[in-house]
Amino acid sequence: MFLQHKPSGGLVEILTLDRLCDPCQDKIAGQLHAGEEMQDPESFDKTELIFPSGEPLPVCWLNPNYRFENVV
C-alpha cells in the first residue's frame, strides 16, 4: 500500500500494514519512493501520512479513543 508523506509530498510504501490500522501505534515502517534507487526503510509518523487522493487516514487508525471523544 502506498500513502503520501505530507511534508515531502513523496509516496511511501507501507511495510507494516498491521501497525497502520492499529490506533495504538504512532509510527509505522515504510520506504520513501524517490528517484530510481530503493530507499532504506524509515519510521514515519502516521499523522504525517494521507492517501494519495488527498484524503486523511481514518480516525479509527489514529486515535484509540475515537469512539468516546464525540459522545455527548
Side-chain angles (χ1 to χ4, degrees):
M1 170 184 259
F2 287 91
L3 296 175
Q4 185 175 3
H5 186 236
K6 288 190 286 189
S8 69
L11 287 179
V12 176
E13 182 178 2
I14 304 304
L15 302 176
T16 53
L17 287 176
D18 57 329
R19 291 177 67 99
L20 176 63
C21 300
D22 184 350
C24 296
Q25 302 296 324
D26 294 334
K27 296 186 179 283
I28 56 173
Q31 289 179 303
L32 191 61
H33 281 252
E36 293 182 18
E37 289 186 25
M38 186 64 82
Q39 304 296 313
D40 292 331
E42 298 178 49
S43 181
F44 293 91
D45 287 333
K46 289 187 348 184
T47 58
E48 295 182 341
L49 298 171
I50 58 174
F51 288 105
S53 64
E55 296 176 66
L57 297 180
V59 176
C60 62
W61 290 5
L62 302 171
N63 183 353
N65 297 313
Y66 75 97
R67 292 184 196 172
F68 306 109
E69 289 191 354
N70 293 324
V71 175
V72 180

